[in-house]
Amino acid sequence: MHRLRTTVAILWPITVNQRAQGQSQARRFAAGGPLSTSEPMRNYTASLSAEPFLNGTSCNYVEEMYNAWLENPRSVHKSWDIFFRNANFGAPPGAAYQSPPPLVAPAPGFVDDQLMGGAQPNLEKLVEDHLAVQSLIRAYQVRGHHVAKLDPLGIKAGIDPGPPPSDIITTNDKLAFYGLDESDLGKVFRLPTTTFIGGSESALSLHQIIHRLEMAYCQSIGVEFMFINDLEQCQWIRQKFESPGVMQFTFEEKRTLLARMVRSTRFEEFLQRKWSSEKRFGLEGCESLIPALKTIIDKSSMNGVDSIIMGMPHRGRLNVLANVIRKELDQIFCQFDSKLEAADEGSGDVKYHLGMWHRRINRVTDRNITLSLMANPSHLEAVDPVVQGKTKAEQFYCGDTEGKRVMSILLHGDAAFAGQGVVYETFHLSNLPSYTTHGTIHVVVNNQIGFTTDPRMARSSSYPTDVAKVVNAPIFHVNADDPEAVMYVCNVAAEWRATFHKDVVVDLVCYRRNGHNEMDEPMFTQPLMYKQIKQQKGVLQKYADRLIEEGVVSRQEYEEDIANYDKICEEAHARSKDEKILHIKHWLDSPWPGFFNLDGQPKTMSSPSTGLPEEELRHIGNIASSVPLEDFTIHGGLSRILKGRAAMVDQRVCDWALGEYMAFGSLLKEGTHIRLSGQDVERGTFSHRHHVLHDQNVDKRTCIPMNHIAPNQAPYTVCNSSLSEYGVLGFELGFAMASPNALVLWEAQFGDFHNTAQCIIDQFISPGQTKWVRQNGIVLLLPHGMEGMGPEHSSARPERFLQMCNDDPDTFPIFSAEEFAVRQLYDCNWIIVSCSTPANYFHVLRRQILQPFRKPLIVLTPKSLLRHPEAKSSYDDMLPGTHFQRVIPDSGPVSEKPEEVKRIVFCTGKVYYELTRERRNRGMDYTVAITRIEQLSPFPFDQVKVETDRYPNADLVWCQEEHKNQGFYDYVKPRLRTTVNSTRPVWYAGRGPAAAPATGNKAAHLVELKRFLDTALNLDAFTGPS
Ligand SMILES: Cc1ncc(C[n+]2csc(CCOP(=O)(O)OP(=O)(O)O)c2C)c(N)n1
Ligand SMILES: [Mg+2]
């Protein structure tokens, strides 16, 4: 109704000024300017009933007509011309309309006023027809992809198998859907501003309109974009695909494309000839992937990108390494030789998982470009967030705040892209301020099969790419057997990314010539598809024939090209036979220049003290308890918290949050970037941290005091994440990979939530170094502790982390006393700590950066201890010369007469405070020593031995609050035994075995606690073999 009134208003006499405005609106987009959806010409006084054809559905169209008429009165139908003239001359409503001459079909593409004289027209039919044409154009834009010729096999196994939509004119009878018929094909219609099919023409015959829409939307490219909310973006895409003649390439471009197809195809053929029985997950059936990626890289390089980080699965990976990243061929070929000896530490990985980093000149742009392909595990799509994190880090370190220099490309298989939830989690990071990489180009190798499973059994969506719609990413489906169409969409995708800095998807619809791998028989499960595939001519051959026919290359040139590349492969193969040693380090995807010495070893094997001078502690404490911005009002409750912190500074003590502040603040001051990410980390799940202050009077005004520590400090990033663990932990792992000089921490809301990120932990964090010789210093903060909160929220499942530690339970390491700690750390796959004091937490965070190598650190963090009056540390424990304490010995009365001590209770974490309280209550301070093992892994054999030696007459008890089959017991027990050489039994005090981590009943929780404390401190509790 509103639009109708507007239109009628427009039809009233207008000023010259208004006329200019109307014209400029219509043409603004073409000039590249921003679009405005509303125009200021408004007059609500007109009578609507006076012009009956101005009904609610037609006013859109009338506006179009009017704007066109303003520009060129001859471009609209005579009847409209008369109508607008009359309206302009001030004809009152109802009088502007005059019956026009009858409509006789003019020649296609040609408006002939002369032919319009004579009989009475049916204006309503005219408006309806024009509206119908508008809907028809829109139908192609929305659903044209359904009839595009996307499937090289023509069997549509993997793409929307339904019948063509009824509003797409696949046969002339479908015109009836719009109230049109064949006789209308010659009529000329004014084109709306929402299409570019006219090129420089503003009106076309229906016949031409349909033809051009078919060319734009129903050939080898299917564009899905009409779900995008942004009009400017939709217009941009329409212009790219609808403008006549956009898909034309020069001979040179075609020859380059052919050369790339030759490399891609002959590489696989070479591998097949040489190693016919080796798994390589070849690219056959999707050879255009290589020119696709190269086109994206060329175009992005042209647009200023100088670093591209890629993640991809198994399919075609070797080909990408060889022909996109340009890894030396002999280095790839020698991977097929199993007799090679590994030169580096670690157990390595299969060849189609390894990563790679390479800087070279891009031949097309003559600019330097760095390409890295991230190593990845078998777990499909797991690498996606890791790539994004690494990309974000590289952007961050080079000040690329808009993603103009560094970008990521993610490759996917069709089945995995649709099936794996982490894809969705990764998409949801794409627009978040602290996680965006400013647009990723996704390329799907859509071979219409996943191992042996058909798409109809593997997903519920029409396309494997539907997940991308959640972020309004355009999706370009393309028949991979049409290399020029592939090249075109890849160019558009790269331009899209450079223009809008948003994600985009290229769906290469292809097939898989062989089975899942080269050994696999696909006819068992897809007999008809594979009968078709066997008949399918290879894409290289098809394209070469086409170019030869077009006269772009001669057959001889083409054959020479093939012979040349084959020769390159043969020569590299000959060279590869000279390789005796396999250097896994040559496959490093993230080098850390300057961090190690030249042979890749740490520059030193000593760890400096992690303590700080008192003034520094005081200074950071003051920042932590203040608001560094003027006129900034914080919440009253927070004022009280900050006052409490100030009081601690006066008393020279820290609680947990202040200890963390001291560690972060000092590292920032020393130039180490810190990034803390996770759900609600800014305030802290337990409302203890408050790293971001919020002005109570100004919406979204915030202050991060940690960024006010010192003038030249490193930046501090603290960011609440999306509600994802898999995606976000993967992202932070990737961020930590980019540089050793940053402390990157991911905090779980509660420790147990890490299990939804298990794949990142199992596949990357625990074994990353041994598989890919790549260190990583990521820190996981996992709130852990049995507080009677029920089965969830209680356990960070330390048993799982401990089970994956690589230290030997049965061997006491032989290291010198001075180097014991650091050597153990160097050898381990990760470090697991459960700190009981803020000072120790402070030290372990600082050690993470000050030690000369990087290892993942898992910290079981407390909940009730955050506010426990005894869980405070004095500055004295944080001063220069102090260190992280792997073991905290009992410093109470037991040390006075150690030989009289009857029992050592070893424990870790918050149960220490429960044990000491119970010991005090029982008056056993002289008979029972309570020793805290703060670093569980690598196990501090040396320091534990000091304790067991100190109390020669004591029995040994491991006490934990967790259930017996969980927690630390299984890990600690054999190591305690090894420490005492099995001369003393190791007893257990804790909860019994259970399926759940904790009871849901608070009373039961307390009974259990009482029971196991009783066992731990009852000197008669244990007899017989342990
Ligand atoms: C998370 C995960 N689940 C299962 C597998 C086993 N697997 C390996 S390849 C594959 C099929 C993948 O199909 P698709 O994504 O279409 O890639 P294609 O092999 O067809 O290129 C499966 C199920 C895996 N590697 N990762
Ligand atoms: Mg597949």
Side-chain angles (χ1 to χ4, degrees):
M1 201 59 187
H2 171 75
R3 289 189 68 89
L4 178 57
R5 283 209 211 100
T6 308
T7 304
V8 174
I10 289 170
L11 300 182
W12 281 97
I14 51 176
T15 64
V16 174
N17 231 355
Q18 285 169 324
R19 175 185 277 241
Q21 260 177 341
Q23 281 173 335
S24 66
Q25 147 104 33
R27 292 291 151 238
R28 206 169 300 154
F29 181 77
L35 284 174
S36 141
T37 47
S38 64
E39 277 299 294
M41 292 178 284
R42 300 286 179 262
N43 175 344
Y44 297 101
T45 57
S47 154
L48 303 181
S49 56
E51 307 287 10
F53 58 90
L54 290 179
N55 59 47
T57 49
S58 64
C59 60
N60 232 352
Y61 173 65
V62 177
E63 260 185 272
E64 287 274 353
M65 289 295 108
Y66 180 66
N67 285 329
W69 177 81
L70 283 173
E71 251 185 53
N72 174 10
R74 287 174 62 83
S75 71
V76 300
H77 190 270
K78 191 82 189 160
S79 57
W80 285 117
D81 183 25
I82 294 166
F83 177 74
F84 292 135
R85 269 179 224 278
N86 289 343
N88 238 15
F89 274 107
Y97 172 70
Q98 282 178 17
S99 296
L103 197 61
V104 178
F110 179 67
V111 185
D112 187 350
D113 287 350
Q114 302 309 310
L115 292 175
M116 293 177 188
Q120 290 296 306
N122 178 348
L123 187 64
E124 255 177 65
K125 160 80 172 141
L126 181 77
V127 172
E128 273 167 18
D129 285 356
H130 273 76
L131 286 171
V133 170
Q134 281 209 355
S135 321
L136 183 146
I137 293 172
R138 194 179 154 80
Y140 274 82
Q141 291 168 340
V142 177
R143 278 176 292 280
H145 57 88
H146 285 293
V147 295
K149 302 170 188 81
L150 299 179
D151 180 12
L153 301 175
I155 55 176
K156 288 197 165 188
I159 36 179
D160 191 15
S166 45
D167 55 357
I168 301 291
I169 313 300
T170 43
T171 50
N172 278 348
D173 57 327
K174 288 214 176 160
L175 285 166
F177 179 85
Y178 296 97
L180 299 166
D181 59 36
E182 270 180 71
S183 69
D184 294 312
L185 285 171
K187 286 185 192 160
V188 171
F189 292 86
R190 166 84 201 164
L191 297 169
T193 50
T194 49
T195 187
F196 294 83
I197 52 172
S200 57
E201 296 161 278
S202 52
L204 289 176
S205 70
L206 179 57
H207 173 81
Q208 271 296 317
I209 289 172
I210 294 173
H211 174 68
R212 291 196 188 185
L213 289 169
E214 269 172 5
M215 296 314 288
Y217 291 112
C218 308
Q219 301 305 303
S220 298
I221 299 172
V223 194
E224 266 193 292
F225 70 105
M226 287 292 279
F227 52 84
I228 295 175
N229 297 326
D230 184 301
L231 175 62
E232 186 192 353
Q233 293 170 8
C234 282
Q235 288 290 76
W236 189 93
I237 291 175
R238 288 172 180 139
Q239 194 170 33
K240 291 288 171 201
F241 289 96
E242 293 181 354
S243 304
V246 280
M247 280 260 295
Q248 279 162 10
F249 298 99
T250 63
F251 275 23
E252 196 191 335
E253 285 169 330
K254 290 182 185 218
R255 276 198 290 264
T256 304
L257 179 53
L258 182 68
R260 289 173 170 178
M261 292 297 298
V262 165
R263 284 176 168 262
S264 167
T265 310
R266 300 303 286 192
F267 177 80
E268 296 294 351
E269 286 178 13
F270 185 82
L271 295 183
Q272 184 60 29
R273 272 202 306 281
K274 296 288 179 201
W275 296 280
S276 57
S277 58
E278 277 273 340
K279 268 194 209 172
R280 67 188 151 83
F281 298 103
L283 193 53
E284 292 95 329
C286 194
E287 288 89 344
S288 342
L289 175 68
I290 300 303
L293 292 176
K294 291 186 83 85
T295 305
I296 292 169
I297 293 167
D298 291 347
K299 190 79 184 181
S300 303
S301 165
M302 241 175 258
N303 286 324
V305 169
D306 55 27
S307 175
I308 295 183
I309 296 139
M310 294 166 54
M312 75 174 293
H314 50 287
R315 180 82 49 217
R317 193 171 170 109
L318 297 177
N319 209 327
V320 169
L321 281 169
N323 288 316
V324 178
I325 315 260
R326 289 300 183 99
K327 177 86 185 158
E328 303 84 351
L329 289 177
D330 40 324
Q331 288 292 319
I332 296 177
F333 296 156
C334 75
Q335 288 274 317
F336 285 88
D337 186 350
S338 56
K339 291 185 290 298
L340 282 184
E341 250 179 67
D344 309 296
E345 68 199 53
S347 47
D349 201 348
V350 292
K351 49 191 163 293
Y352 40 85
H353 286 167
L354 296 175
M356 165 75 205
W357 183 97
H358 193 40
R359 176 173 293 144
R360 66 186 177 89
I361 295 275
N362 179 288
R363 293 207 190 129
V364 175
T365 57
D366 235 10
R367 288 167 46 100
N368 254 321
I369 188 143
T370 303
L371 300 174
S372 54
L373 176 65
M374 305 285 283
N376 61 242
S378 216
H379 292 55
L380 294 167
E381 307 290 348
V383 80
D384 298 359
V386 184
V387 167
Q388 299 301 69
K390 171 136 190 271
T391 308
K392 182 76 184 171
E394 290 209 359
Q395 290 175 346
F396 180 81
Y397 294 126
C398 73
D400 181 19
T401 51
E402 293 170 53
K404 290 187 170 164
R405 291 182 52 198
V406 184
M407 68 174 263
S408 55
I409 302 177
L410 286 179
L411 281 83
H412 313 270
D414 53 320
F417 197 45
Q420 291 293 304
V422 71
V423 173
Y424 180 86
E425 292 187 28
T426 307
F427 268 116
H428 266 292
L429 297 178
S430 69
N431 263 327
L432 307 181
S434 299
Y435 302 84
T436 179
T437 54
H438 308 281
T440 298
I441 301 183
H442 300 263
V443 180
V444 183
V445 173
N446 181 358
N447 52 21
Q448 314 185 65
I449 192 165
F451 205 160
T452 67
T453 303
D454 289 334
R456 67 202 161 91
M457 299 299 174
R459 62 171 194 261
S460 297
S461 57
S462 308
Y463 294 103
T465 50
D466 284 15
V467 60
K469 291 181 181 173
V470 297
V471 293
N472 270 269
I475 299 160
F476 307 144
H477 307 283
V478 57
N479 185 324
D481 262 14
D482 183 344
E484 290 183 9
V486 169
M487 178 150 94
Y488 186 72
V489 295
C490 288
N491 263 317
V492 176
E495 274 184 52
W496 165 274
R497 197 257 167 203
T499 308
F500 298 108
H501 286 286
K502 287 187 51 180
D503 284 27
V504 51
V505 180
V506 174
D507 178 24
L508 295 175
V509 186
C510 56
Y511 57 94
R512 189 187 70 193
R513 186 166 287 282
N514 302 316
H516 176 58
N517 60 56
E518 289 61 35
M519 310 294 97
D520 215 61
E521 175 51 83
M523 292 289 278
F524 286 151
T525 48
Q526 274 76 23
L528 295 184
M529 183 188 215
Y530 272 82
K531 269 183 200 152
Q532 178 64 40
I533 289 174
K534 279 182 184 152
Q535 289 167 15
Q536 192 81 5
K537 202 166 159 186
V539 56
L540 171 64
Q541 210 185 331
K542 282 202 274 186
Y543 190 54
D545 290 348
R546 185 169 141 191
L547 294 197
I548 291 165
E549 203 180 301
E550 286 177 19
V552 178
V553 285
S554 68
R555 186 157 296 281
Q556 194 192 344
E557 283 168 325
Y558 164 61
E559 279 165 5
E560 276 170 18
D561 235 22
I562 288 190
N564 280 343
Y565 186 67
D566 286 358
K567 190 160 160 257
I568 290 171
C569 289
E570 283 297 350
E571 286 169 2
H573 181 230
R575 278 198 307 280
S576 76
K577 289 186 175 155
D578 301 337
E579 289 285 344
K580 297 278 176 286
I581 293 174
L582 177 67
H583 293 279
I584 303 174
K585 281 207 171 118
H586 290 172
W587 297 83
L588 201 58
D589 56 16
S590 312
W592 290 345
F595 185 66
F596 299 109
N597 63 22
L598 285 180
D599 57 1
Q601 297 302 312
K603 287 184 174 159
T604 152
M605 275 308 253
S606 65
S607 263
S609 162
T610 41
L612 289 177
E614 174 120 16
E615 321 77 81
E616 203 166 314
L617 293 173
R618 200 177 320 111
H619 171 68
I620 299 169
N622 287 338
I623 300 275
S625 42
S626 64
V627 183
L629 293 188
E630 303 265 300
D631 297 328
F632 195 100
T633 312
I634 59 169
H635 189 271
L638 187 54
S639 295
R640 280 193 294 283
I641 291 174
L642 297 193
K643 271 198 195 114
R645 281 185 188 169
M648 281 191 279
V649 175
D650 286 345
Q651 294 155 21
R652 301 180 67 254
V653 294
C654 284
D655 66 0
W656 196 268
L658 195 52
E660 184 181 81
Y661 227 105
M662 300 295 188
F664 284 12
S666 56
L667 289 170
L668 290 165
K669 189 158 170 270
E670 290 156 20
T672 301
H673 168 55
I674 300 185
R675 180 179 163 98
L676 170 62
S677 147
Q679 291 150 31
D680 307 291
V681 293
E682 295 177 6
R683 189 201 72 173
T685 297
F686 311 105
S687 202
H688 69 295
R689 182 174 286 129
H690 297 286
H691 283 188
V692 180
L693 312 180
H694 292 259
D695 194 322
Q696 299 294 302
N697 300 325
V698 185
D699 190 30
K700 299 193 183 69
R701 183 171 181 229
T702 55
C703 168
I704 302 177
M706 198 80 82
N707 275 323
H708 296 256
I709 303 267
N712 294 320
Q713 70 168 88
Y716 176 52
T717 307
V718 54
C719 40
N720 288 347
S721 75
S722 68
L723 212 167
S724 140
E725 286 83 23
Y726 192 172
V728 174
L729 179 56
F731 188 98
E732 302 311 333
L733 180 85
F735 201 103
M737 229 170 249
S739 164
N741 302 317
L743 183 66
V744 181
L745 308 98
W746 174 74
E747 183 173 71
Q749 187 119 71
F750 284 93
D752 44 0
F753 292 122
H754 80 254
N755 58 13
T756 65
Q758 199 66 49
C759 176
I760 298 294
I761 294 165
D762 287 358
Q763 265 55 48
F764 291 86
I765 301 180
S766 168
Q769 184 178 352
T770 193
K771 291 201 293 192
W772 305 316
V773 289
R774 168 176 84 183
Q775 298 190 0
N776 194 302
I778 188 156
V779 179
L780 272 59
L781 302 179
L782 306 178
H784 171 81
M786 314 281 276
E787 320 259 358
M789 291 172 76
E792 266 64 64
H793 302 119
S794 289
S795 176
R797 298 293 197 170
E799 63 276 10
R800 296 200 181 143
F801 290 94
L802 292 167
Q803 192 229 348
M804 285 189 273
C805 292
N806 66 355
D807 66 338
D808 187 345
D810 304 322
T811 310
F812 198 107
I814 311 167
F815 297 129
S816 69
E818 313 76 66
E819 285 200 340
F820 198 98
V822 73
R823 287 273 158 203
Q824 266 197 315
L825 290 174
Y826 183 68
D827 286 350
C828 76
N829 60 325
W830 57 16
I831 305 162
I832 299 172
V833 300
S834 166
C835 303
S836 62
T837 69
N840 231 14
Y841 178 49
F842 156 87
H843 283 296
V844 81
L845 291 177
R846 286 182 49 77
R847 185 182 77 173
Q848 193 63 1
I849 289 298
L850 296 182
Q851 69 193 1
F853 42 79
R854 294 289 172 262
K855 298 284 168 168
L857 170 67
I858 318 298
V859 187
L860 303 166
T861 59
K863 292 170 288 180
S864 57
L865 291 196
L866 300 176
R867 294 186 175 79
H868 196 293
E870 287 171 41
K872 286 197 175 141
S873 296
S874 159
Y875 280 12
D876 294 338
D877 296 334
M878 301 160 83
L879 293 175
T882 56
H883 279 92
F884 172 68
Q885 289 184 276
R886 292 176 290 145
V887 169
I888 304 185
D890 196 327
S891 55
V894 279
S895 52
E896 290 170 24
K897 289 188 190 151
E899 63 288 350
E900 288 182 12
V901 169
K902 299 273 186 301
R903 171 169 295 173
I904 316 174
V905 178
F906 288 100
C907 65
T908 192
K910 96 166 203 308
V911 74
Y912 166 77
Y913 295 95
E914 276 142 1
L915 280 166
T916 47
R917 195 190 57 222
E918 189 63 21
R919 178 177 65 177
R920 206 172 335 147
N921 291 345
R922 292 175 181 231
M924 299 177 82
D925 286 359
Y926 287 88
T927 43
V928 175
I930 302 178
T931 302
R932 286 168 273 176
I933 300 183
E934 303 269 305
Q935 177 177 294
L936 291 138
S937 182
F939 192 73
F941 287 97
D942 54 338
Q943 294 191 341
V944 172
K945 184 164 186 326
V946 170
E947 294 308 296
T948 51
D949 287 352
R950 191 196 312 267
Y951 308 107
N953 302 318
D955 64 6
L956 310 180
V957 172
W958 172 257
C959 177
Q960 66 176 31
E961 53 179 2
E962 295 80 6
H963 287 280
K964 192 172 186 179
N965 56 329
Q966 301 166 25
F968 312 87
Y969 178 55
D970 283 340
Y971 175 86
V972 169
K973 182 175 176 173
R975 287 167 176 81
L976 275 178
R977 278 200 174 151
T978 300
T979 309
V980 295
N981 208 7
S982 300
T983 53
R984 280 183 261 179
V986 178
W987 305 106
Y988 173 74
R991 290 180 163 89
T999 170
N1001 181 309
K1002 183 91 187 188
H1005 165 81
L1006 293 172
V1007 170
E1008 288 168 1
L1009 173 66
K1010 193 169 172 312
R1011 257 191 218 143
F1012 80 74
L1013 288 177
D1014 189 49
T1015 310
L1017 294 166
N1018 177 358
L1019 296 178
D1020 300 323
F1022 306 109
T1023 48
S1026 68

